[in-house]
Amino acid sequence: MKRIQLFEFEDFDWFPNWLRTCMTNLIIILSKMIGVAEVLAGLVTKTLKEQNQSQIVDLGSGSGGVMPEVLKMVQKTPGLENASMLLTDLYPNPIFIRKFNKSTTDAIEYSKVPIDATDISKAPTGLKTMINSFHHMPPEAAKSILDSAQKNNEPLLIYEMAENKMPLLIWWLLLPFSLVILIIMVLFMTPFVRPLTWKQLVFTYLLPIIPICYAWDGQASLPRMYSFKDIDQLLEGLGSTAYGWEKGYARKKNGKAMGTFIVGFPKS
Ligand SMILES: C[S@@+](CC[C@H](N)C(=O)[O-])C[C@H]1O[C@@H](n2cnc3c(N)ncnc32)[C@H](O)[C@@H]1O
């Protein structure tokens, strides 16, 4: 496999949740800047319509990422005005449960019950989505997720906003420059974070823990992504007359690639 198992700070149990949230805030800003939410909304809308579904069950949601924004865009599509979303995680965070379950009118709920993406039978029906989290799964877990979607005959949409196409040696050689660029980007993106907390400011501009961790995780996630060939390997033995798989580039309206997707879908 081209993918390698590097560490990311946000995967460690000991990594403080508030720090993880500060990093996710930056990913949301970046996603908005480069148009990830629009691309993802297009993919989700298309899959919901094809599968005749109106409920999205997001797996490995963490803090929700761009999915609340995506739901608002999906709801603008005729026929999907009543689309709803259930955010789930193997380790549901009480802060996000409180945040998303506060309002009963936004059609978003955060599951208090842990949902393991490797066992989709326990998740409510609906289009399962996995956004920017598939690369966190080691190959065995990644294969179980795909296997579980097919076994349970549930549609699954996996999206990653970047691609693992750079030769590993070049990645290592460019690493010092890439880290510096990302750290500088954080300094410019931080003022756009909402809500902008004192922790986000202090640990960016006074004690730059957030830029350093964000830069490392951002760079480390690239060689952790499954390449298209790796995905073929994970999908070996899957696919049947009743259940199909597709993979490819997600595209912006101008045709430019913006991340990659895998879709698993019941054919009937
Ligand atoms: C990168 S984070 C969240 C990414 C999020 N979807 C976003 O767009 O910001 C990955 C999440 O996957 C969760 N996770 C790890 N293993 C899991 C599993 N087997 N099933 C469900 N969630 C899992 C972690 O707890 C973590 O919150």
Side-chain angles (χ1 to χ4, degrees):
M1 274 206 177
K2 180 161 171 33
R3 177 190 189 269
I4 58 167
Q5 183 70 36
L6 284 176
F7 79 89
E8 281 182 59
F9 285 109
E10 66 168 302
D11 282 344
F12 291 125
D13 290 343
W14 53 261
F15 197 69
N17 263 329
W18 66 264
L19 202 44
R20 198 176 279 125
T21 306
C22 289
M23 286 162 61
T24 312
N25 290 342
L26 292 164
I27 298 173
I28 294 174
I29 298 292
L30 178 73
S31 304
K32 283 183 184 165
M33 272 167 50
I34 61 177
V36 166
E38 284 86 356
V39 169
L40 203 40
L43 271 179
V44 171
T45 302
K46 180 172 177 278
T47 318
L48 282 172
K49 282 192 152 181
E50 284 171 358
Q51 292 300 313
N52 205 16
Q53 301 271 356
S54 60
Q55 156 107 327
I56 302 161
V57 180
D58 189 49
L59 307 165
S61 299
S63 63
V66 287
M67 285 310 269
E69 187 84 12
V70 167
L71 180 66
K72 280 189 210 151
M73 294 178 179
V74 168
Q75 285 170 333
K76 289 187 181 139
T77 311
L80 288 173
E81 294 88 350
N82 294 323
S84 60
M85 183 183 291
L86 180 69
L87 300 168
T88 73
D89 204 280
L90 186 55
Y91 311 105
N93 180 326
I95 295 173
F96 301 129
I97 293 174
R98 269 200 302 279
K99 175 181 165 189
F100 287 105
N101 293 357
K102 211 165 45 190
S103 158
T104 49
T105 53
D106 60 1
I108 302 181
E109 202 189 319
Y110 207 116
S111 168
K112 292 179 192 156
V113 182
I115 303 277
D116 186 348
T118 62
D119 183 6
I120 280 172
S121 67
K122 305 267 165 53
T125 52
L127 169 64
K128 309 294 177 295
T129 54
M130 264 200 109
I131 312 304
N132 293 327
S133 48
F134 196 58
H135 68 276
H136 289 263
M137 310 293 151
E140 221 167 274
K143 201 165 169 47
S144 302
I145 291 166
L146 303 174
D147 200 37
S148 177
Q150 177 166 329
K151 268 201 191 116
N152 290 286
N153 210 34
E154 285 283 300
L156 169 69
L157 168 64
I158 294 170
Y159 175 81
E160 295 281 3
M161 67 190 258
E163 193 194 356
N164 178 2
K165 57 180 180 189
M166 193 185 286
L168 191 57
L169 180 64
I170 310 269
W171 180 85
W172 279 114
L173 290 174
L174 291 178
L175 187 61
F177 306 102
S178 320
L179 289 176
V180 171
I181 290 171
L182 282 183
I183 287 173
I184 294 173
M185 274 176 68
V186 172
L187 303 183
F188 285 101
M189 289 193 300
T190 298
F192 297 99
V193 167
R194 292 293 176 275
L196 187 54
T197 59
W198 68 266
K199 279 183 183 169
Q200 188 101 33
L201 287 169
V202 169
F203 294 100
T204 297
Y205 297 110
L206 288 184
L207 208 71
I209 297 175
I210 297 171
I212 291 168
C213 295
Y214 174 87
W216 171 259
D217 278 13
Q219 277 309 299
S221 62
L222 291 177
R224 294 181 87 194
M225 306 257 168
Y226 290 96
S227 68
F228 283 134
K229 268 194 186 159
D230 294 344
I231 294 166
D232 285 339
Q233 225 171 305
L234 293 174
L235 286 172
E236 242 166 44
L238 290 179
S240 68
T241 48
Y243 197 93
W245 292 96
E246 271 174 23
K247 61 181 187 318
Y249 288 107
R251 295 195 183 274
K252 292 174 103 167
K253 282 200 180 109
N254 63 10
K256 200 169 168 255
M258 173 60 65
T260 61
F261 73 86
I262 311 172
V263 182
F265 53 94
K267 288 182 182 168
S268 57

